[in-house]
Amino acid sequence: MVSIKDVAKYANVSVATVSRVLNNKDTVSEGTEKIVKEAIEALNYRPNLVARTLYKKRSSMIGLILPDITNPFFPALARAIEDKALSYGFTVILCNADGNAKKEMDYIKSLEQKYIDGFIISTSQLEVENYDQFDFPVVALDRFIKNEIPTVMANNEEGAFKATKHLMEVNCKLIAHVRGPSGVGPADDREKGFLKAVKESTIKYTIVETDYDLYTAEKVAYQLLQNNPEIDGIFAGSDLIAAGVMRAANHVGLLIPHDLQIVGFDGIQLGKMLSPSLTTIEQPIYEMGAMAVELLYKQIEKLDLEKLHYKFSTKLIKGETTKNTRGFINE
Amino acid sequence: MVSIKDVAKYANVSVATVSRVLNNKDTVSEGTEKIVKEAIEALNYRPNLVARTLYKKRSSMIGLILPDITNPFFPALARAIEDKALSYGFTVILCNADGNAKKEMDYIKSLEQKYIDGFIISTSQLEVENYDQFDFPVVALDRFIKNEIPTVMANNEEGAFKATKHLMEVNCKLIAHVRGPSGVGPADDREKGFLKAVKESTIKYTIVETDYDLYTAEKVAYQLLQNNPEIDGIFAGSDLIAAGVMRAANHVGLLIPHDLQIVGFDGIQLGKMLSPSLTTIEQPIYEMGAMAVELLYKQIEKLDLEKLHYKFSTKLIKGETTKNTRGFINE
């Protein structure tokens, strides 16, 4: 690799002069600056970023901690974050925490030692006290960590309320909510929205819990549908869970949407591949990712944050897993 | 952060002594070494990895360059690589090249300056000459770059041959291959396998090309099926393409597998979520990722590679998008 010494030699100036040019100091004459810059170009010199990191204690890298990269919601989110981060000159380091708090802490500690500029964290498995030790800024995405940490999430409660209301509008009589794990913020908030909607009416309902995993969701839904044949509507806690519910419904022999109507949550591409296509609650994934990067960038640059906590509105996307409401509305 | 000075003070030795212990030099007495190690533990001191990187020109980071993180084949691959890399003490930096050669080079250059230990590259958009400039080891995964660069891939030609033979066994009369983009290695190899199979017989066939993108695949397949209603078998170049083909078949009004039989390629979880479930060619994704990490690790440690090029066998996974062959075989 070309060194700063090579540049100095080529330009016939001192190493200190090259360094001053690199650091945009005013103490170099325009003529000298031009010569140095030509040498840099001629030799294709790239400043040693590791040395710069050591000096500035900045790496222009941000970490993104995801609970599970194979859950298709998170690649969509990662893509949004990466696009936005690049526009700020950040390289994104993806960390797949895999539901393992130790793995997550190992990532954080090892990247902290590389002067990572900050983290966007989409997990909630660390103790809140862990965050107090951190020397770098953090943004919580799709999770709430604590009041002092900027947060970006969808309005999960509102979205779940819309999903459940839709199932009631299409005339479901017994609605089940197949929710994500207890203690995971979005899953808890979606249950709240579900309960709010069902409790406004006299509709019968039940709630079961699964992991965010296709086969677990299928197993849970299979048992639910076997034991409760009168269930005719399911609000699934995510699109991936909805895919599991649909597999279970097929095995039980229920026709969708004739016998069983389903609404998911997320609005990822997966829903369009399912057959029938999934009615779901769409989160504005791209906008959420972009906002998370902006909030992290502002903290890194020590700029003011106008607001700490952002909740994005969701939207019902009508697919084929629920019946058309038109007839119902016209009745 | 605790510094080496703090450790020296606590242990009542010089900074140089602590440094010698950290670097496992023999010039420190056992007693002193013990005291220093106790101080390191008591203060929870973590050596400054950036400084170490500068000294050793090693970062314990490896880069993984993917063409598109939202194509579900690649998160599955990334997960495998990350698991294996962690067992070697490597942090994986995920780079989403997004079909953009400039973006890919920017990632490589910026990470090279951070003394990245090596790259696993799953794209093939750079000119082969680019690789000659690199100072770090590379493994090509799911792509061939050049003879000197270790390669891990599935036997795409053999897999495509199996897929096409299966469509012939289930009695298809006119088979279309909806292939990935020209110039992308696996897509070219799969076409070769397809051609080998159809040319061994007198079966009629046709080939069309799409991107690895759901909606493009759907559009291409829709036109194909509209213009050639006699097509009764499709070998899709990937599971994601197969999902697009299935959407197109639904829009055209073809029943799967009654009117149209489909085989995909990859064997990712997506195939199980499709309805009917996808018959596909399974790549051993986990083993391929693990082998790529092993080959990179051996290069980093300057160990001998027994072999440079690995081709993994594939397996036909029977789903519901093709008919059962039992009746056919018994005839």
Side-chain angles (χ1 to χ4, degrees), chain A residues 46 48-50 59 68 70 79 82 86 92 94 96 98 103 107 113-115 215 247 272, chain B residues 46 48-50 59 68 70 79 82 86 92 94 96 98 103 107 113-115 215 247 272:
Chain A
R46 280 171 273 126
N48 184 318
L49 281 190
V50 173
S59 64
D68 179 6
T70 62
R79 172 70 167 277
E82 202 205 18
L86 268 182
V92 178
L94 192 95
N96 181 34
D98 211 9
K103 197 169 157 188
Y107 261 124
Q113 289 167 351
K114 296 196 170 73
Y115 298 118
Y215 297 116
R247 280 175 58 92
K272 313 264 191 223
Chain B
R46 282 171 271 125
N48 184 317
L49 282 189
V50 174
S59 64
D68 180 7
T70 61
R79 170 72 167 275
E82 202 207 19
L86 268 182
V92 178
L94 192 97
N96 182 34
D98 210 8
K103 195 170 157 188
Y107 262 124
Q113 290 166 350
K114 296 194 172 74
Y115 299 118
Y215 297 117
R247 281 175 58 93
K272 313 263 191 223

Side-chain angles (χ1 to χ4, degrees), chain A residues 23-313:
Chain A
N23 290 296
N24 294 316
K25 295 263 168 77
D26 288 336
T27 48
V28 186
S29 75
E30 261 184 49
T32 309
E33 186 179 343
K34 193 164 167 269
I35 290 166
V36 171
K37 285 194 170 165
E38 280 166 3
I40 287 169
E41 217 180 298
L43 299 175
N44 192 23
Y45 168 69
R46 280 171 273 126
N48 184 318
L49 281 190
V50 173
R52 295 204 133 188
T53 297
L54 196 61
Y55 174 69
K56 291 193 185 176
K57 310 221 166 179
R58 289 271 303 268
S59 64
S60 291
M61 297 192 299
I62 61 175
L64 170 59
I65 301 185
L66 300 175
D68 179 6
I69 182 76
T70 62
N71 175 340
F73 173 68
F74 292 106
L77 200 56
R79 172 70 167 277
I81 287 168
E82 202 205 18
D83 276 4
K84 185 75 176 182
L86 268 182
S87 77
Y88 283 119
F90 289 119
T91 303
V92 178
I93 300 196
L94 192 95
C95 313
N96 181 34
D98 211 9
N100 182 334
K102 188 187 170 307
K103 197 169 157 188
E104 180 166 345
M105 269 313 270
D106 286 349
Y107 261 124
I108 290 175
K109 283 185 182 177
S110 109
L111 290 173
E112 188 184 8
Q113 289 167 351
K114 296 196 170 73
Y115 298 118
I116 191 111
D117 290 343
F119 277 95
I120 296 173
I121 297 184
S122 293
T123 59
S124 50
Q125 52 192 0
L126 298 184
E127 302 297 325
V128 172
E129 301 83 61
N130 285 124
Y131 294 92
D132 298 332
Q133 318 162 8
F134 295 161
D135 282 337
F136 45 78
V138 167
V139 172
L141 176 58
D142 189 41
R143 295 289 189 276
F144 175 84
I145 298 173
K146 59 176 193 168
N147 245 323
E148 295 75 14
I149 294 180
T151 309
V152 177
M153 53 167 75
N155 193 331
N156 289 299
E157 194 175 329
E158 172 214 49
F161 183 83
K162 279 185 203 166
T164 313
K165 275 287 185 191
H166 178 63
L167 286 170
M168 288 156 71
E169 279 163 19
V170 292
N171 244 334
C172 293
K173 303 297 180 203
L174 170 52
I175 304 182
H177 176 31
V178 182
R179 57 160 290 166
S182 292
V184 174
D188 292 344
D189 290 346
R190 289 171 201 171
E191 182 181 292
K192 270 185 216 155
F194 171 78
L195 284 173
K196 194 176 162 214
V198 290
K199 290 191 169 168
E200 279 184 9
S201 76
T202 55
I203 194 162
K204 288 193 290 178
Y205 67 90
T206 183
I207 299 177
V208 291
E209 191 175 319
T210 175
D211 281 336
Y212 288 118
D213 166 82
L214 180 69
Y215 297 116
T216 313
E218 179 182 354
K219 216 173 108 184
V220 166
Y222 185 81
Q223 284 215 313
L224 175 77
L225 293 170
Q226 284 277 11
N227 297 340
N228 306 275
E230 68 281 27
I231 289 173
D232 57 359
I234 289 187
F235 166 44
S238 79
D239 288 353
L240 189 63
I241 292 177
V245 169
M246 287 171 73
R247 280 175 58 92
N250 283 338
H251 290 178
V252 176
L254 296 174
L255 269 182
I256 303 168
H258 184 269
D259 306 324
L260 180 69
Q261 302 191 69
I262 300 170
V263 181
F265 201 111
D266 281 343
I268 55 177
Q269 204 179 54
L270 170 62
K272 313 264 191 223
M273 299 189 225
L274 299 176
S275 185
S277 68
L278 185 63
T279 297
T280 190
I281 300 295
E282 185 183 69
Q283 309 193 49
I285 296 178
Y286 211 91
E287 288 77 5
M288 288 165 61
M291 176 59 81
V293 174
E294 192 183 318
L295 291 175
L296 188 60
Y297 170 78
K298 284 185 171 169
Q299 289 182 81
I300 292 168
E301 296 294 338
K302 306 204 187 310
L303 302 172
D304 277 346
L305 304 186
E306 284 162 43
K307 215 174 110 176
L308 275 184
H309 301 283
Y310 288 82
K311 266 195 190 174
F312 283 76
S313 268

Side-chain angles (χ1 to χ4, degrees), chain B residues 98-115:
Chain B
D98 210 8
N100 181 335
K102 187 186 171 307
K103 195 170 157 188
E104 180 167 345
M105 270 312 271
D106 285 349
Y107 262 124
I108 291 175
K109 284 185 181 174
S110 110
L111 290 173
E112 189 184 8
Q113 290 166 350
K114 296 194 172 74
Y115 299 118

Side-chain angles (χ1 to χ4, degrees), chain B residues 77 80 84 141 152 282-294 312:
Chain B
L77 200 56
K84 184 77 175 180
L141 176 58
V152 177
E282 185 183 68
Q283 309 192 49
I285 296 178
Y286 211 90
E287 290 76 6
M288 288 164 61
M291 176 60 81
V293 174
E294 193 184 318
F312 282 76

Side-chain angles (χ1 to χ4, degrees), chain B residues 64-257:
Chain B
L64 170 59
I65 301 186
L66 300 175
D68 180 7
I69 182 77
T70 61
N71 176 340
F73 173 67
F74 293 106
L77 200 56
R79 170 72 167 275
I81 287 168
E82 202 207 19
D83 276 4
K84 184 77 175 180
L86 268 182
S87 77
Y88 284 119
F90 289 119
T91 304
V92 178
I93 300 197
L94 192 97
C95 314
N96 182 34
D98 210 8
N100 181 335
K102 187 186 171 307
K103 195 170 157 188
E104 180 167 345
M105 270 312 271
D106 285 349
Y107 262 124
I108 291 175
K109 284 185 181 174
S110 110
L111 290 173
E112 189 184 8
Q113 290 166 350
K114 296 194 172 74
Y115 299 118
I116 191 110
D117 289 343
F119 277 96
I120 296 174
I121 297 185
S122 293
T123 59
S124 50
Q125 52 191 2
L126 298 184
E127 302 297 325
V128 171
E129 302 81 62
N130 285 124
Y131 294 92
D132 298 331
Q133 320 162 8
F134 295 161
D135 283 337
F136 46 78
V138 166
V139 172
L141 176 58
D142 188 42
R143 296 289 188 276
F144 175 83
I145 296 173
K146 60 177 191 167
N147 246 323
E148 295 76 14
I149 293 181
T151 310
V152 177
M153 53 167 74
N155 192 332
N156 289 299
E157 194 175 329
E158 173 214 48
F161 183 83
K162 278 185 205 168
T164 314
K165 275 286 185 193
H166 178 64
L167 287 169
M168 289 158 69
E169 280 163 19
V170 292
N171 247 333
C172 293
K173 304 298 180 203
L174 170 52
I175 304 182
H177 176 30
V178 181
R179 56 158 292 163
S182 290
V184 174
D188 291 345
D189 290 346
R190 289 171 201 172
E191 182 180 293
K192 271 184 214 154
F194 172 77
L195 285 171
K196 195 177 161 215
V198 290
K199 290 192 170 166
E200 279 185 11
S201 78
T202 54
I203 194 163
K204 288 194 289 179
Y205 67 90
T206 184
I207 300 177
V208 291
E209 190 175 319
T210 174
D211 282 336
Y212 288 118
D213 166 81
L214 180 71
Y215 297 117
T216 313
E218 179 182 355
K219 215 173 111 185
V220 167
Y222 184 82
Q223 284 214 314
L224 175 78
L225 293 170
Q226 283 278 11
N227 297 340
N228 306 274
E230 68 281 29
I231 289 172
D232 57 359
I234 289 187
F235 166 44
S238 79
D239 288 352
L240 190 63
I241 292 176
V245 169
M246 286 172 72
R247 281 175 58 93
N250 282 339
H251 288 177
V252 176
L254 296 173
L255 268 182
I256 304 167

